[in-house]
Amino acid sequence: LRRKYGFYLFVDEAHSVGALGKRGRGICDHFNVDPREVDILMGTFTKSFGAAGGYIAGSKALIDYLRLHSHSAVYAEAMSVPVLAQVSSSMRMIMGEDREHALEGQQRLDQLALNSRYFARRLAEMGFMTMGDPGSPVIPLLLFSPAKIPAFSRECLKRNIAVVVVSYPATPIITGRVRFCISASHTREDLDHALEQISDIGDLLMLKFHKDKVQPQHLKAE
């Protein structure tokens, strides 16, 4: 479509870079698309890289313009050296260029995909309504009622489970949700414990809308 109609393509990779794709290089890697086909790629270093800040990638002309005119480039503080070192070391590990941990990056990518598919499939089997693509490490679960959003968060907090709830105006008022952020470091025991607690909360707040009607895309995940 971009080539046919000549529009600019901007892709936000906040939840995909360092997580999706066979090599962990994000949405382009996941769909086998040449990154040069995307005019602007944006991402964050706060998730997969465990650091701070973010990036914008594009043509030299675009980057030069942003450096001169972007408020964050002109007035904000630069990233500190320790943060840059964290980003660089994480990137080398993901790309398999860290000699001391040559295989660890790929192992973490594979484990993250396995954990994400398992968690999403189990939520669907319990009857929750989830969103997102199989394999995504960020799994939204629909809560719908605005009153249930803080209630779900508080119940998770009581059980020492960290979650992120999202509501209006970030989402339409009837599609408030909770986001589960899965890590390669989560063990199967961690995931099963969280799922057990989430199931109890789902029963308490009546959030299981389609029990025994598992979403097809999550059934494919092993």
Side-chain angles (χ1 to χ4, degrees):
L1 289 174
R2 172 183 171 273
R3 288 193 295 268
K4 181 177 180 180
Y5 295 107
F7 55 73
Y8 290 106
L9 182 59
F10 184 114
V11 176
D12 182 354
E13 294 240 64
H15 294 158
S16 57
V17 68
L20 292 185
K22 293 182 179 179
R23 299 172 296 172
R25 299 186 180 187
I27 202 72
C28 292
D29 189 24
H30 182 69
F31 289 109
N32 196 28
V33 173
D34 189 336
R36 288 172 294 188
E37 294 287 340
V38 181
D39 297 291
I40 305 174
L41 281 166
M42 184 188 78
T44 179
F45 294 132
T46 62
K47 295 182 173 65
S48 298
F49 301 96
Y55 68 88
I56 291 181
S59 67
K60 184 177 185 302
L62 170 70
I63 301 305
D64 286 345
Y65 179 87
L66 291 177
R67 282 175 172 162
L68 289 173
H69 296 90
S70 170
H71 183 278
S72 61
V74 176
Y75 297 106
E77 296 288 339
M79 293 172 64
S80 66
V81 173
V83 171
L84 289 171
Q86 168 68 18
V87 173
S88 177
S89 62
S90 298
M91 196 171 293
R92 288 199 307 273
M93 181 178 289
I94 291 171
M95 296 174 68
E97 295 180 357
D98 188 325
R99 293 182 180 179
E100 295 183 10
H101 309 279
L103 301 178
E104 187 173 345
Q106 189 60 51
Q107 290 170 349
R108 286 177 178 267
L109 289 170
D110 294 341
Q111 187 62 49
L112 178 61
L114 183 65
N115 285 354
S116 301
R117 291 191 178 97
Y118 174 77
F119 198 84
R121 177 172 60 83
R122 292 290 293 118
L123 287 174
E125 288 174 349
M126 291 176 185
F128 292 108
M129 294 185 67
T130 60
M131 301 174 67
D133 294 321
S136 172
V138 179
I139 303 169
L141 183 154
L142 290 172
L143 302 176
F144 296 108
S145 171
K148 293 183 180 182
I149 297 170
F152 190 95
S153 179
R154 286 194 294 269
E155 290 297 327
C156 285
L157 184 60
K158 289 179 185 177
R159 295 164 170 80
N160 296 319
I161 299 174
V163 297
V164 177
V165 290
V166 187
S167 62
Y168 181 84
T171 69
I173 196 166
I174 61 170
T175 56
R177 64 201 66 176
V178 56
R179 292 193 321 195
F180 301 106
C181 301
I182 306 302
S183 167
S185 298
H186 285 139
T187 65
R188 184 57 61 91
E189 290 74 21
D190 292 333
L191 299 177
D192 285 340
H193 172 72
L195 287 164
E196 180 181 355
Q197 300 300 315
I198 292 165
S199 179
D200 290 343
I201 297 171
D203 291 333
L204 178 66
L205 300 180
M206 295 183 288
L207 292 170
K208 297 178 180 180
F209 296 102
H210 63 112
K211 197 168 184 179
D212 301 324
K213 296 180 181 178
V214 185
Q215 296 178 6
Q217 65 265 35
H218 292 147
L219 276 173
K220 296 177 184 178
E222 296 296 334

